[in-house]
Amino acid sequence: MLPRTLFQRTTAALATLSALLLGAPSAAATAPPLRPAATEAVAPPTPLTGAQLSASWTGPLSTRGRWIVDADGNRFKLTSGNWEGAQGTWTGSGDLNDPANHARAEPGYSMPLGLDRAPISTILADFHSLGLNSVRLPYSNALIHDTAPVPDAAVKANPQLRGKTPLQVLDAVVAALTADGFAVILNNHTTTARFCCGLDGNERWNSGQTTRQWVDDWLLMVNRYKTNKRVVGADLRNEVRRDTWDDPNWGWYDEHDLYAAYEEAGNRILEAAPDMLIIMEGINWYGIPLDGLPHGRPGLKPVATLSHTLIRSDKLVYAAHFYGYTGPANTGASSGPGATGDPRYEDFTAEQLAQVVGSEALFVTRDGQHFTAPVWISEFGAAGRGSTDAKEQTWLHRFTDILVANDTDFAIWPLVGWLDSDGNQMDNWALLGYGASGVRRGIQDGGDWRADDWNRLVTAPGRTGPVARTPRWNMLDLDHADYNVSATMLAKPDWSPGNRKGNCPDGQRLAGLGRGDSRGLCTDAGRPTKGHGTWTVVTDERYVTRGDWASGYTKLQCPDDTFAVGYSVHSDAMAALLCAPAAGSLPATGRTVWFDRGDNRPATGGSTGSDWAPRHYKGQCADDEYLAGVAYTWKWNHGGVPDALLCRPLG
């Protein structure tokens, strides 16, 4: 995250704008409860030993609806912090070896901060005292390829790390964290070893590198750690934003498309390391921050109408960042380039803040939608000891209320900083500060106004224990390209050459289609079991049986005892239907669902509270039905797009 002082120093040429068209969902966060009285101190958490934390959960992690669960199906709430430093601390000007040219004058040497000041075992014991169960580890792509040993002085308190490269140091940190029971989430924070954020050359995943290089680096990292089941997640990229000339976008399928880049990287990672959570942040900034020009922080809003579907649909987690001094359309700059008159999050009332956080992020946790997933607030924080900023303090109180009320997964920024020679924290945002002699001063040591908020957050009651499996709905997006998320079909040759094609994840079936936009909806509701045998590609009417269910229309119908799991289009016209065999017989009676003149979707269930094909009519089978056929016509200028579905009962 970008401190205010760094943003104020950032200057750039302002160029023409490519504005994004982003729809905002209407859902809001739960209203926060009343806070304890200001005089009521909140007790700190009871620290767990490494053995106790290790015994409390089993990796790997996955998702069930809006919840993250461990390998036993028990809720695992990410109670996390950011151990920063390995992403780079140099501010971009001046001598790299001069501490004054590093964020907060704390050079990290591409390593997690503090290794020169305290043994890893001491730092991890302090993490336990904070009540953490997981750690977000930011790193840079430059770190992966840096073959120079770290300076001996930079690992003074951990001499076992002398002579190691930054990546080897990261290996040791990961091994220590996971041996002590912590879950580790890897975060690709930056491309270069320069401190984020602003116009710093790290704006996009492919700033200074190609998308292929970025994906290859991710594959190197997940292959490096995939046998360690406590390395649980790949947080794909930090705070994607506009560079000098161009905005990121969501779904344009060009070099600036964050949506498509996430989809590619996530599926490649899951092919290599199927146990990983795939964590995706929204767009952090678009537009030129000048009053009168379009600009803003979309967050996860685009997910409402264009969500992701991975080859493992139980591995997707969305993430968002919130800081009081920024806002929905405020960069955080107080003056100079980038400063606008837009409100900051700290300017909102408690009710307004809850609504904004809901509309930008927490709406994703609504049950039963195509976008339903856990949301991890993977960065938030405020200046602590010594700060007298009343507005920021009020903001953190209110934001803590929202996290507690919604039982939201979180990771505070940052965990570790330095103390100066007088024992003062050089970064008073850090929860822990270490002096050169190893002395520690932390949030629990008195004098830090954030202690009660933090303690209430990590000790708040929330959901625990087993989480039942619930039906999933996932979107297929054939607007611009293939959308193959079936591991079965990915291993086979192209089943519909020359056409755009999409397949549901294995374990799901096709439930609905959009009329004219090539979108589809998949589900596992009812869980029909796929049987053995050949999957059938249907391109004509040879399997139409038991009557004409769409007279005068061309029909693609699955053979009896099979159900649709994919489809292909040419332009937006139907080209083929992909059908998978069921493990047993399926009912052959059914009904025709017409959607040529309007939506025809179930009244309840089935992602009916969300729009998976915006501005287009949608047809959808009920949750207890399977899609057995599609009807279309070229007459009356219909253009061969889907007009009707054949829906049959599952049993």
Side-chain angles (χ1 to χ4, degrees):
M1 181 59 203
L2 179 66
R4 306 175 207 218
T5 54
L6 286 182
F7 199 103
Q8 291 162 5
R9 290 164 51 188
T10 301
T11 58
L14 298 180
T16 56
L17 173 66
S18 295
L20 298 177
L21 300 176
L22 300 171
S26 58
T30 305
L34 294 175
R35 290 179 47 77
T39 56
E40 181 182 336
V42 181
T46 301
L48 298 179
T49 65
Q52 289 170 327
L53 181 57
S54 295
S56 70
W57 69 284
T58 305
L61 303 182
S62 57
T63 70
R64 292 183 179 177
R66 64 146 290 182
W67 310 103
I68 297 172
V69 298
D70 73 0
D72 297 320
N74 294 313
R75 198 271 174 100
F76 186 89
K77 182 176 182 176
L78 292 177
T79 303
S80 323
N82 285 269
W83 191 0
E84 62 117 351
Q87 83 285 356
T89 55
W90 182 56
T91 57
S93 62
D95 183 358
L96 184 65
N97 296 312
D98 184 349
N101 297 321
H102 290 257
R104 306 162 308 272
E106 298 173 340
Y109 299 99
S110 293
M111 296 182 298
L113 285 172
L115 299 179
D116 60 328
R117 298 179 169 231
I120 291 180
S121 58
T122 298
I123 296 173
L124 299 195
D126 292 338
F127 288 176
H128 285 297
S129 73
L130 294 173
L132 304 176
N133 64 13
S134 45
V135 172
R136 183 180 186 241
L137 274 183
Y139 72 90
S140 71
N141 294 96
L143 174 151
I144 297 173
H145 305 287
D146 188 349
T147 60
V150 300
D152 287 352
V155 291
K156 179 181 177 182
N158 292 275
Q160 74 278 14
L161 301 179
R162 289 177 181 167
K164 294 186 180 295
T165 67
L167 183 54
Q168 290 170 335
V169 171
L170 195 69
D171 290 342
V173 168
V174 168
L177 282 165
T178 55
D180 230 31
F182 293 100
V184 170
I185 298 95
L186 304 170
N187 164 239
N188 178 228
H189 207 80
T190 51
T191 304
T192 69
R194 180 178 171 181
F195 193 77
C196 170
C197 295
L199 295 171
D200 58 359
N202 295 307
E203 296 88 354
R204 294 194 309 274
W205 66 97
N206 55 1
S207 295
Q209 61 187 354
T210 65
T211 296
R212 179 175 179 177
Q213 288 170 325
W214 175 66
V215 172
D216 286 347
D217 278 354
W218 259 121
L219 294 177
L220 183 152
M221 293 295 280
V222 297
N223 281 319
R224 195 174 189 91
Y225 300 120
K226 67 181 180 181
T227 60
N228 185 340
K229 300 308 176 187
R230 295 193 190 276
V231 180
V232 298
D235 183 353
L236 296 181
R237 188 70 179 187
N238 184 72
E239 296 189 3
V240 173
R241 54 200 181 276
R242 181 186 175 90
D243 61 17
T244 302
W245 303 106
D246 295 295
D247 285 322
N249 68 72
W250 196 267
W252 295 7
Y253 280 80
D254 60 12
E255 282 300 303
H256 301 149
D257 185 355
L258 180 60
Y259 172 83
Y262 277 165
E263 192 79 23
E264 177 182 353
N267 283 322
R268 291 285 305 280
I269 289 169
L270 288 173
E271 288 175 320
D275 289 332
M276 285 283 176
L277 292 177
I278 304 299
I279 301 169
M280 304 178 182
E281 296 176 30
I283 294 175
N284 189 261
W285 188 264
Y286 83 97
I288 299 173
L290 284 177
D291 289 329
L293 292 178
H295 59 268
R297 180 172 283 105
L300 295 175
K301 286 182 179 180
V303 173
T305 53
L306 187 56
S307 61
H308 288 88
T309 300
L310 299 171
I311 58 174
R312 287 283 305 273
S313 59
D314 62 346
K315 293 296 182 180
L316 175 62
V317 175
Y318 284 112
H321 295 177
F322 289 94
Y323 290 96
Y325 67 90
T326 65
N330 194 305
T331 64
S334 58
S335 62
T340 67
D342 301 292
R344 306 172 192 273
Y345 293 115
E346 64 187 19
D347 295 328
F348 296 127
T349 66
E351 292 75 15
Q352 289 170 333
L353 183 62
Q355 192 280 327
V356 168
V357 173
S359 67
E360 292 184 4
L362 296 187
F363 77 92
V364 173
T365 62
R366 286 167 48 204
D367 289 334
Q369 310 307 316
H370 68 83
F371 52 69
T372 300
V375 169
W376 184 36
I377 306 301
S378 55
E379 283 190 28
F380 74 103
R385 194 185 310 275
S387 172
T388 57
D389 187 336
K391 291 186 72 171
E392 186 170 67
Q393 292 182 17
T394 299
W395 172 83
L396 186 65
H397 299 332
R398 291 171 174 170
F399 192 69
T400 301
D401 289 339
I402 293 168
L403 296 180
V404 170
N406 290 277
D407 198 5
T408 301
D409 301 70
F410 61 86
I412 197 165
W413 180 279
L415 288 175
V416 175
W418 287 7
L419 303 180
D420 64 18
S421 58
D422 295 323
N424 299 311
Q425 284 186 287
M426 297 166 64
D427 178 9
N428 65 348
W429 285 58
L431 270 59
L432 300 164
Y434 296 95
S437 64
V439 64
R440 185 213 70 197
R441 196 176 190 189
I443 193 172
Q444 308 288 14
D445 295 332
D448 194 318
W449 66 268
R450 302 170 300 172
D452 284 348
D453 284 316
W454 177 255
N455 292 336
R456 194 165 68 90
L457 186 57
V458 295
T459 61
R463 180 166 185 168
T464 60
V467 177
R469 297 183 187 275
T470 56
R472 297 178 183 273
W473 286 271
N474 289 105
M475 173 189 295
L476 297 180
D477 167 31
L478 276 64
D479 292 357
H480 301 282
D482 288 355
Y483 209 98
N484 293 314
V485 287
S486 162
T488 299
M489 296 307 294
L490 283 171
K492 295 183 177 181
D494 187 340
W495 60 270
S496 188
N499 302 311
R500 302 195 311 279
K501 62 203 71 70
N503 315 307
C504 295
D506 290 344
Q508 295 190 15
R509 68 184 185 279
L510 194 62
L513 289 173
R515 187 178 186 273
D517 72 340
S518 306
R519 297 279 183 92
L521 185 69
C522 303
T523 188
D524 61 2
R527 296 188 173 274
T529 304
K530 290 180 182 175
H532 300 293
T534 302
W535 293 26
T536 305
V537 178
V538 179
T539 58
D540 55 34
E541 294 190 340
R542 73 184 66 187
Y543 300 109
V544 176
T545 59
R546 306 176 193 275
D548 187 347
W549 51 272
S551 179
Y553 285 72
T554 302
K555 292 166 282 293
L556 304 179
Q557 183 173 326
C558 292
D560 288 352
D561 298 326
T562 70
F563 49 85
V565 292
Y567 61 103
S568 68
V569 295
H570 193 82
S571 185
D572 289 322
M574 286 299 302
L577 199 61
L578 179 66
C579 307
S585 60
L586 291 172
T589 58
R591 65 189 182 101
T592 303
V593 174
W594 290 95
F595 56 106
D596 55 331
R597 298 182 182 181
D599 279 2
N600 193 345
R601 299 199 286 166
T604 60
S607 196
T608 54
S610 55
D611 193 344
W612 45 270
R615 301 176 300 278
H616 292 272
Y617 297 150
K618 292 163 283 293
Q620 184 177 326
C621 298
D623 296 354
D624 59 355
E625 295 177 323
Y626 69 96
L627 196 158
V630 180
Y632 61 94
T633 185
W634 291 93
K635 301 176 183 178
W636 315 300
N637 295 320
H638 281 211
V641 301
D643 281 321
L645 305 178
L646 175 61
C647 298
R648 289 175 167 176
L650 286 170

